[in-house]
Amino acid sequence: MLLDADEPAAEAAVRKVAGSVTVPNTWLKAFVAPELVASWLPPGWTSGPPTFLMATQLCPSEVRAPDGYALTAETRAGVTFVRVLATDGAVAARGQIAVTGESAVVDQVETDPAHQRRGLGSLVMRTLANGAVARGASTGVLGASAEGRALYEALGWKVHAPLAGFVYRATA
């Protein structure tokens, strides 16, 4: 559901959804400033870290794993999983993407701290984009953490909105 934060319907919708949640660790995300969403939530909801809705036009690019790493990609049930493996077989970086028509949603991109600052995040993102373009996608979207935002911006992604995230923690 896409709502304008200035509309009373947005507040009513968030209050209704949040008030119906009973399962701990349920997340609610909205493209609205976090402080505004926080004022609409009943007790039991906790703010998550700041995140950002980002998008870009996907373009194919050449990819090559740095020396000492192996790149793998596989698609299952419409989701492409990319992993960069270190020489010992440990996952050094990973990410996934799901294509939905002309759009593709990137999720769970991460680089192990021991392997950061070696271009592995860029390698994962470019490999994901290549797979999505091959399957007909032209636009990529993702929810970026504050840490990931710099990587995505360096790759040409643009911030389009704040992405407020709250998790329900049952109150005693």
Side-chain angles (χ1 to χ4, degrees):
M1 169 182 338
L2 210 49
L3 299 169
D4 183 334
D6 295 328
E7 293 180 20
E11 179 178 351
V14 169
R15 286 184 184 277
K16 180 179 179 181
V17 168
S20 70
V21 173
T22 59
V23 177
N25 299 316
T26 298
W27 280 87
L28 179 130
K29 295 200 175 192
F31 305 120
V32 181
E35 57 278 2
L36 185 58
V37 175
S39 71
W40 299 342
L41 298 175
W45 288 90
T46 304
S47 177
T51 55
F52 310 89
L53 173 65
M54 300 185 77
T56 194
Q57 289 303 118
L58 297 172
C59 301
S61 60
E62 186 175 330
V63 296
R64 182 177 160 271
D67 290 342
Y69 294 96
L71 178 65
T72 69
E74 65 175 297
T75 302
R76 295 186 315 260
V79 178
T80 299
F81 301 88
V82 169
R83 296 186 316 159
V84 180
L85 305 176
T87 54
D88 64 359
V91 177
R94 69 183 186 99
Q96 60 191 44
I97 194 165
V99 174
T100 59
E102 292 181 10
S103 298
V105 181
V106 175
D107 191 29
Q108 297 184 10
V109 175
E110 61 183 318
T111 302
D112 182 278
H115 299 276
Q116 291 177 346
R117 314 301 301 161
R118 299 179 190 178
L120 302 183
S122 295
L123 174 64
V124 167
M125 290 299 293
R126 289 186 174 111
T127 304
L128 291 171
N130 286 349
V133 167
R135 293 175 46 220
S138 58
T139 302
V141 296
L142 58 77
S145 66
E147 298 83 17
R149 180 178 172 178
L151 166 66
Y152 306 132
E153 286 180 330
L155 294 172
W157 292 68
K158 303 288 184 225
V159 172
H160 289 273
L163 181 55
F166 292 83
V167 61
Y168 178 68
R169 309 273 189 218
T171 54

